[in-house]
């Protein structure tokens, strides 16, 4: 691979990192071609894009991101597959489901970059699975904001019926 080809790979990786905002670094070493192809198929079905690149090129691409992302560099050892997703916890859920029930420990999470937050190590997988997506958080906030307004409207509507009943009773007496 010559210098221009390497530069193209780095620019393509940076574009993906900026487009998605979230990416995971996974270890798929030791897996058969059939298992890796199965992972790729599951990624496609889940809306996750999988790319494989050399660690040095990944490191250069990460270096080009805004802010200090050097905490993720220790994860760049051995074979690395990048999983790009719009949903922050999507790849974590996929990795967990791929390992479920088969007694396998691969693919293994090496690191994750979620909206500029960095997670390193496979022990972070459960924390990443439980992360809420941006849409889920917005939905919860909207639900919390609507709740008091709904209560006020409901109280006014029920109170209006009571007042009308009292007025009608007073008219009948008079």
């Amino acid at each position: 691979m010559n210098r221009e080809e390497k530069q193209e790979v780095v620019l393509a990786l940076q574009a993906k990192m900026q487009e998605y905002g979230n990416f995971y670094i996974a270890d798929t070493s030791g897996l058969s071609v059939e298992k890796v192809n199965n992972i790729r198929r599951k990624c496609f079905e889940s809306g996750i894009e999988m790319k494989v690149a050399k660690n040095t090129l990944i490191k250069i691409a990460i270096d080009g991101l805004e802010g200090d992302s050097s905490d993720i560099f220790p994860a760049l050892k051995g074979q690395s597959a990048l999983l790009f997703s719009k949903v922050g916890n999507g790849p974590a859920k996929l990795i967990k489901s791929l390992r479920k029930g088969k007694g396998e420990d691969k693919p293994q999470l090496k690191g994750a970059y979620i909206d500029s937050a960095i997670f390193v190590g496979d022990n972070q997988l459960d924390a990443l699975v439980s992360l809420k997506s941006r849409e889920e958080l917005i939905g919860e906030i909207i639900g919390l904001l609507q709740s008091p307004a709904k209560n006020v409207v409901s109280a006014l509507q029920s109170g209006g019926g009571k007042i009308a009943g009292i007025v009608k009773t007073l008219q009948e007496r008079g």
Side-chain angles (χ1 to χ4, degrees):
M1 190 180 269
N2 64 30
R3 185 175 290 213
E4 285 117 21
E5 291 172 330
K6 289 179 182 177
Q7 185 65 24
E8 286 177 27
V9 169
V10 167
L11 291 174
L13 288 175
Q14 280 180 336
K16 292 283 179 203
M17 289 172 183
Q18 291 170 347
E19 174 188 348
Y20 285 96
N22 306 308
F23 65 88
Y24 284 58
I25 303 169
D27 179 9
T28 56
S29 63
L31 293 178
S32 67
V33 173
E34 179 185 346
K35 288 183 181 179
V36 171
N37 286 339
N38 181 44
I39 292 171
R40 285 184 185 276
R41 187 174 61 257
K42 298 274 189 195
C43 283
F44 180 77
E45 291 169 0
S46 303
I48 297 168
E49 194 171 335
M50 181 176 171
K51 297 276 183 203
V52 177
K54 292 185 174 190
N55 288 329
T56 53
L57 299 179
I58 295 170
K59 183 177 179 182
I60 293 169
I62 292 171
D63 249 348
L65 295 175
E66 290 182 23
D68 181 24
S69 305
S70 60
D71 291 344
I72 203 165
F73 292 160
L76 295 172
K77 289 184 174 37
Q79 188 175 359
S80 296
L82 290 170
L83 304 173
F84 297 99
S85 174
K86 295 274 185 191
V87 180
N89 63 358
K93 288 180 178 179
L94 178 69
I95 290 171
K96 193 130 177 136
S97 73
L98 288 168
R99 293 181 359 189
K100 186 185 253 182
K102 297 176 184 150
E104 292 191 27
D105 64 341
K106 298 275 175 120
Q108 194 167 27
L109 176 67
K110 293 166 70 174
Y113 179 94
I114 317 264
D115 291 328
S116 75
I118 295 173
F119 301 84
V120 177
D122 195 58
N123 59 340
Q124 300 289 323
L125 189 61
D126 289 329
L128 289 167
V129 167
S130 65
L131 276 180
K132 293 187 187 253
S133 70
R134 170 182 253 145
E135 290 76 20
E136 290 172 325
L137 288 173
I138 290 172
E140 283 185 14
I141 290 170
I142 289 172
L144 290 171
L145 291 174
Q146 284 181 339
S147 181
K150 285 181 180 177
N151 290 341
V152 169
V153 169
S154 174
L156 288 175
Q157 286 176 339
S158 67
K162 288 179 186 175
I163 292 172
I166 293 170
V167 170
K168 187 175 181 184
T169 305
L170 289 174
Q171 278 180 337
E172 290 173 358
R173 284 188 186 169

